[in-house]
Amino acid sequence: MAYQQMLNEEQLPTFIIYKDWKRPEEVKKVIQRLHSQNHLEGVVFVGDIPIAMIRKAQHLTSAFKMNENTFPWNESSVPSDRFYDDFHLVFDYLKQDSIQKNFFYYELAVQSPQTIHCDIYSGRIKPVDNGVDSYQQIRDYLLKAIEQHRSGNKLDQFFSYTGEGSYSNSLTAWTPEAFTIREQIPGVFDKQGRARFMRYSFYDYPKETVMNMMKREDLDLAIFHEHGTPDRQYLSASPATEDLNSHIEKLKADKRSYIRRWAKTPEKIAEYIQKQREEYGLDASWFEGYDDPKQLEKDSLLDLKTGIVLADVTKMKPNARMVIFDACYNGDFREKDYIAGRYIFSEGKSVVAFANSVNVLQDKQANEMLGLLGLGARVGQWAQLTNILESHVIGDPTFRFTSNDASLNLSELISRPYNEAEALRNVDSPYADVQNLALHQLYRNGYAGISDLLAKKYRTSPYAVVRYTSLALLTQVNDRNLQEILKESIHDSNEFIRRTTVRFMAYVGLNDYVPLLVKEYAENYFSERERFDIGMKMRVFDEKVVKKAVEDVLAHSYVTDRKELAEVLLKENEYKTSADEHIFDKTGKKGYRISYINSLKNENIHASVDGYLKLILDADEEEKVRCALLESLAWFKWSYRRQDIMDACQQLMSNANTPAAVRENAERTYFRLK
């Protein structure tokens, strides 16, 4: 009641709805009614609100591609509140979990819209297993949230941590964050405020330093770029060694850890030790202590120093008002206990987190639109613009910082009805992320000139964050402007924009891009993530085009190691031939064929589309192979062959002799691409 009163004081009319909910549909029906009748802005789920477990919608995630046919449903489904906050998506009910009674399985309907466009924002306040009564946790949390709402606190203290393995440890990928944060929150960190950036390599074991940073009374926003699980933040790995003795001790520790997996099968341990002796000359001394309880405890304590676990969060009482977890599974609210939940239910001042319920892509803009938070936008309003199927606000979605500009309150601006003239004015705002907000509003509301406007903003904006938003929205428009801008954005000064460009050049698949990619690979060699992506993407293009581009570009390049570069790029392109040999081999093992077919979801081989279409139209081909290939072709959303794939799907849909399973997959692929 106190929380409701506080929101009412903020001119946010709030309803408390409670029931012993039996199905997610009950909850959704109430939300939609309130939205229709009372212009509901958002919703917060307190306690054990039913969890929708989504299937057949992995294209709405950033990275999740677990096989739904071979893995258990509770693992291969995505827990997502997009079921509740995006009214356009259509779901078909499947079943309730027989053990986890709060889990309800749905699949995205065949003819549902295939993109996320949330009508409201949402958040979850779900207690954790920390030894405190669940109702007491909720009471304490809401009182803390009320206190922070009334604090008048501004976003002027920022901390970013990048863990081991994030961005492949690339310095060229890590460095630009400081520049983009200054673009997003201009002037704030120049005098009174402070932004700090830390990565795993600053210390051997940075855990204590990171935890101390999170205890700061004045810390407003923290972001973790890291690997994660529901119960752990992976901050670092074993520190780099610098002398012979430390090299040896590190290798011994690795060997002990490796063979402990076979604790119940001593014969495997003996076989492995013998093999190590024969191949590397390592005698038994290299494995000593693997079964010694004292050594095991010592090794475990060292491992614990590389990450933050659930108990650590409660112990450190984090004070960062908002924490973003750019990590896998830290926000997995399926679990009884999870990292993001521990943060908000701690005794510190943390009141809201933004985290993912399953694994998440590293190649995404985790800091997207952060400038809105510094200008008073509610966390939910910000999340509504940036969320994906797996991303969720954990805690109070109505929380906001007091605007750093007294003349501008974005929570009020965003909640107003859409005004095209106002949005067009804001495209030229002095604030980069207000420009981005305006571009999002214009795109979402069908502004007729959006494609040309986005192309213009990309070409003229001095802000990397505006250029990125323009490019990202063009990928949604998916027209000729996107294809042309990619030829320019490959040369952008911002590493993340170039990296994004590489991915979308491969998604589109035009042969015009190949010489540009080869040149970028050769002449920007130390941009590791970009170089890695280019190497992988060579396999989607035609072999003759790649070979000619490698010869022509490298012949006129100033680099000296041309032969080595050519060998790498041509070898990567050979994967296409290898994949196709398996896919088109009707006498080959079905498992191998389907495995290579599934790989097309990540690597859209445009050069072989004619062969793929012939295969799916072949009535003599095995049904499971046709279905698998149709499923993979649904990922060719940006391909210049997209229309050809849709035409083939329509041919299957209209043929009365098409088997039911093949027809359903053809329909799914058609509507995905359409």
Side-chain angles (χ1 to χ4, degrees):
M1 295 297 292
Y3 176 72
Q4 180 191 41
Q5 180 181 342
M6 178 269 299
L7 292 179
N8 286 340
E9 291 170 2
E10 293 186 0
Q11 308 305 311
L12 193 61
T14 303
F15 304 87
I16 299 174
I17 311 294
Y18 59 96
K19 185 179 179 180
D20 182 12
W21 308 103
K22 303 300 182 186
R23 290 271 294 272
E25 288 89 348
E26 292 180 282
V27 183
K28 188 171 186 176
K29 187 176 180 180
V30 172
I31 294 171
Q32 288 178 308
R33 175 172 55 80
L34 287 171
H35 181 262
S36 174
Q37 297 176 1
N38 302 95
H39 307 291
L40 199 70
E41 180 174 302
V43 61
V44 58
F45 302 120
V46 184
D48 293 322
I49 306 302
I51 297 173
M53 304 283 283
I54 308 302
R55 303 175 66 75
K56 302 280 188 179
Q58 293 185 7
H59 57 291
L60 299 181
T61 69
S62 63
F64 189 77
K65 292 186 179 67
M66 188 178 290
N67 192 317
E68 294 182 351
N69 298 316
T70 57
F71 285 89
W73 279 37
N74 65 322
E75 295 179 22
S76 60
S77 305
V78 181
S80 180
D81 287 335
R82 299 300 86 77
F83 177 88
Y84 294 116
D85 57 31
D86 188 329
F87 304 154
H88 302 86
L89 297 178
V90 181
F91 299 94
D92 293 328
Y93 177 71
L94 300 174
K95 67 178 182 179
Q96 182 180 16
D97 194 282
S98 59
I99 298 174
Q100 300 287 345
K101 296 295 186 180
N102 210 32
F103 294 0
F104 296 83
Y105 297 97
Y106 298 83
E107 67 180 20
L108 189 67
V110 172
Q111 296 191 26
S112 168
Q114 301 293 314
T115 56
I116 292 172
H117 186 153
C118 293
D119 298 87
I120 60 173
Y121 57 77
S122 65
R124 282 220 174 227
I125 301 174
K126 180 176 177 287
V128 294
D129 189 16
N130 63 1
V132 179
D133 174 75
S134 294
Y135 297 99
Q136 189 61 48
Q137 287 186 55
I138 293 170
R139 288 189 202 99
D140 292 343
Y141 171 78
L142 290 174
L143 291 172
K144 177 170 67 170
I146 293 167
E147 180 183 356
Q148 289 306 313
H149 269 264
R150 292 174 173 162
S151 68
N153 187 36
K154 295 182 179 181
L155 200 176
D156 57 8
Q157 298 293 331
F158 172 81
F159 171 59
S160 172
Y161 179 81
T162 299
E164 196 277 334
S166 190
Y167 311 137
S168 300
N169 299 337
S170 168
L171 280 170
T172 53
W174 174 70
T175 306
E177 184 178 35
F179 296 94
T180 56
I181 286 293
R182 285 190 174 274
E183 288 185 358
Q184 292 176 301
I185 314 179
V188 171
F189 305 121
D190 292 336
K191 294 181 180 178
Q192 285 113 6
R194 187 166 184 186
R196 306 188 193 195
F197 302 86
M198 186 187 300
R199 70 194 299 264
Y200 74 96
S201 58
F202 285 8
Y203 306 91
D204 281 352
Y205 293 101
K207 175 178 176 177
E208 288 300 320
T209 304
V210 172
M211 289 177 65
N212 287 335
M213 187 69 69
M214 298 303 293
K215 294 176 186 178
R216 285 172 48 198
E217 290 276 347
D218 63 343
L219 187 57
D220 302 312
L221 175 61
I223 182 168
F224 287 97
H225 306 285
E226 51 166 25
H227 292 297
T229 57
D231 60 353
R232 183 165 182 156
Q233 295 176 251
Y234 288 91
L235 300 182
S236 61
S238 299
T241 55
E242 297 180 355
D243 57 70
L244 181 59
N245 287 335
S246 57
H247 295 335
I248 291 171
E249 290 305 313
K250 173 65 170 62
L251 182 56
K252 286 183 175 180
D254 287 348
K255 295 298 179 184
R256 289 194 300 269
S257 175
Y258 188 79
I259 62 176
R260 281 176 182 141
R261 69 182 69 184
W262 299 319
K264 296 181 180 179
T265 51
E267 63 276 9
K268 284 191 175 182
I269 294 176
E271 180 183 340
Y272 178 74
I273 291 176
Q274 180 61 29
K275 189 175 180 180
Q276 292 287 294
R277 181 191 298 273
E278 292 171 358
E279 291 189 10
Y280 303 109
L282 302 180
D283 62 26
S285 66
W286 289 85
F287 308 90
E288 277 181 358
Y290 76 88
D291 56 353
D292 181 349
K294 290 184 178 179
Q295 185 64 55
L296 177 60
E297 180 182 8
K298 184 179 178 181
D299 290 345
S300 296
L301 289 173
L302 274 180
D303 178 70
L304 191 59
K305 291 175 70 174
T306 65
I308 293 175
V309 297
L310 295 169
D312 292 327
V313 179
T314 299
K315 177 183 175 183
M316 72 176 166
K317 303 176 184 178
N319 284 312
R321 278 54 165 189
M322 179 179 180
V323 184
I324 298 174
F325 296 94
D326 179 23
C328 304
Y329 291 101
N330 280 172
D332 189 357
F333 53 85
R334 282 175 295 193
E335 302 288 340
K336 291 182 179 179
D337 211 345
Y338 56 106
I339 285 288
R342 280 282 178 132
Y343 270 78
I344 68 166
F345 287 110
S346 68
E347 292 183 30
K349 295 180 179 180
S350 292
V351 290
V352 63
F354 190 64
N356 302 293
S357 59
V358 294
N359 61 302
V360 70
L361 186 71
Q362 286 191 12
D363 283 330
K364 65 177 179 57
Q365 178 60 284
N367 296 29
E368 190 173 2
M369 311 284 278
L370 282 188
L372 303 184
L373 298 174
L375 293 170
R378 297 189 189 278
V379 171
Q381 293 172 320
W382 164 79
Q384 194 174 348
L385 295 167
T386 61
N387 57 16
I388 43 185
L389 194 67
E390 68 268 28
S391 64
H392 292 85
V393 175
I394 304 298
D396 175 16
T398 71
F399 174 75
R400 61 189 175 95
F401 296 99
T402 296
S403 177
N404 283 306
D405 183 340
S407 68
L408 186 58
N409 178 5
L410 286 191
S411 65
E412 190 274 330
L413 185 151
I414 294 172
S415 64
R416 288 204 297 264
Y418 169 69
N419 182 308
E420 185 177 286
E422 180 180 55
L424 287 170
R425 287 196 301 272
N426 286 336
V427 164
D428 296 316
S429 166
Y431 292 105
D433 274 341
V434 174
Q435 293 185 29
N436 288 333
L437 170 64
L439 292 174
H440 272 273
Q441 290 175 326
L442 290 163
Y443 165 72
R444 285 170 173 249
N445 289 279
Y447 174 60
I450 188 63
S451 180
D452 289 340
L453 175 61
L454 292 170
K456 178 183 177 183
K457 289 301 289 185
Y458 177 81
R459 291 184 170 117
T460 61
S461 179
Y463 299 118
V465 292
V466 173
R467 297 197 303 277
Y468 171 76
T469 295
S470 300
L471 177 61
L473 289 176
L474 274 173
T475 68
Q476 299 302 309
V477 176
N478 195 12
D479 65 357
R480 184 68 182 172
N481 271 329
L482 169 65
Q483 296 180 0
E484 292 303 313
I485 285 294
L486 290 174
K487 297 175 183 178
E488 301 173 34
S489 58
I490 191 65
H491 305 300
D492 200 280
S493 60
N494 180 269
E495 185 269 355
F496 185 73
I497 291 176
R498 296 197 307 274
R499 191 161 22 119
T500 301
T501 299
V502 171
R503 288 193 295 119
F504 278 94
M505 280 183 163
Y507 290 150
V508 173
L510 289 172
N511 287 327
D512 293 351
Y513 298 147
V514 178
L516 297 170
L517 290 169
V518 172
K519 182 177 176 64
E520 183 69 11
Y521 185 91
E523 297 180 2
N524 203 4
Y525 194 74
F526 290 103
S527 186
E528 300 98 330
R529 291 289 289 173
E530 189 184 358
R531 186 185 77 234
F532 173 81
D533 283 345
I534 292 173
M536 291 285 287
K537 303 310 179 187
M538 280 295 110
R539 57 186 63 174
V540 311
F541 298 100
D542 184 88
E543 299 100 316
K544 293 180 180 178
V545 174
V546 172
K547 185 176 181 181
K548 186 175 189 307
V550 168
E551 291 174 353
D552 292 349
V553 172
L554 295 183
H556 298 92
S557 177
Y558 57 79
V559 299
T560 54
D561 51 348
R562 299 171 193 171
K563 183 178 179 181
E564 293 85 348
L565 292 173
E567 288 175 354
V568 171
L569 291 171
L570 293 174
K571 186 172 183 179
E572 285 289 354
N573 185 245
E574 289 174 6
Y575 174 89
K576 170 191 172 297
T577 304
S578 174
D580 284 350
E581 285 175 355
H582 286 89
I583 291 171
F584 297 130
D585 182 9
K586 290 189 175 185
T587 63
K589 290 185 178 179
K590 184 173 64 178
Y592 278 127
R593 293 186 75 191
I594 290 179
S595 177
Y596 276 98
I597 287 170
N598 288 340
S599 73
L600 297 177
K601 295 175 183 178
N602 287 323
E603 311 297 343
N604 306 156
I605 300 180
H606 312 271
S608 301
V609 165
D610 287 332
Y612 301 151
L613 298 185
K614 184 178 179 181
L615 191 154
I616 63 172
L617 293 171
D618 184 355
D620 296 327
E621 181 57 75
E622 190 165 350
E623 187 174 302
K624 286 187 177 180
V625 173
R626 295 173 77 188
C627 288
L629 186 51
L630 278 163
E631 186 178 319
S632 289
L633 287 172
W635 296 78
F636 284 58
K637 175 180 176 180
W638 291 276
S639 176
Y640 77 97
R641 300 296 309 275
R642 171 173 162 240
Q643 187 60 52
D644 297 321
I645 299 170
M646 291 171 63
D647 291 344
C649 289
Q650 280 190 304
Q651 189 174 333
L652 288 168
M653 291 156 60
S654 61
N655 187 339
N657 296 319
T658 300
V662 175
R663 177 179 285 104
E664 181 187 335
N665 277 280
E667 288 177 349
R668 284 193 177 278
T669 296
Y670 176 81
F671 286 106
R672 280 267 301 275
L673 298 179
K674 183 173 183 290

